[in-house]
Amino acid sequence: MLMKYFVGFLVIVALILAGLFISSRNVSQSAETDEPKDESTSVPATGIEHIVVLTERGYEPTEITIKQGDRIVFSASSDYGRLHWPASNLHPTHSLYSEFDPLAPIEPEATWGFVFGKVGEWRFHDHLAPYHTGTITVQ
Ligand SMILES: [Cu+2]
């Protein structure tokens, strides 16, 4: 009699595990199909990195031309000493290139890197000091 309950218990555990396995597979499959099909955003990274520094005088350089798939690392100079937040225009929504936005302030000594997958001329600003602006041209 006990054995019968034990077998029943095992069957239930097996069904739960199977259900979890199937649902986790469905989640990962739907995540894959939800990926953007836009070719401009799925371009492989080139591995080339550029540095743009925010200083008291603004971004240095203020204009930079890079290749599609290049990465730009945004940092703040030691004299700047405040939180920084590079982001796509337009302020405050950052809607022109919404992925180009760390979505949170960056610590003064920390950097934030972004791979530019979309060709275009992208104007940007510091979200916390929006009078500091620049332009990134992606070819
Ligand atoms: Cu902004």
Side-chain angles (χ1 to χ4, degrees), residues 49-54 71-77 82 84-86 102 104-114:
E49 209 165 84
H50 310 266
I51 295 172
V52 172
V53 182
L54 182 56
R71 186 167 185 261
I72 293 184
V73 174
F74 294 89
S75 69
S77 65
R82 300 191 296 280
H84 61 117
W85 185 332
I106 311 300
E107 292 295 324
E109 65 285 352
T111 63
W112 180 71
F114 181 71

Side-chain angles (χ1 to χ4, degrees), residues 5-21:
Y5 283 120
F6 184 65
V7 169
F9 174 73
L10 280 183
V11 167
I12 288 165
V13 167
L15 285 174
I16 290 170
L17 287 177
L20 286 174
F21 177 67

Side-chain angles (χ1 to χ4, degrees), residues 85 87-88 90-94 125-128 130:
W85 185 332
S88 163
L90 302 165
H91 182 68
T93 59
H94 311 154
H125 61 279
D126 183 89
H127 187 57
L128 304 171

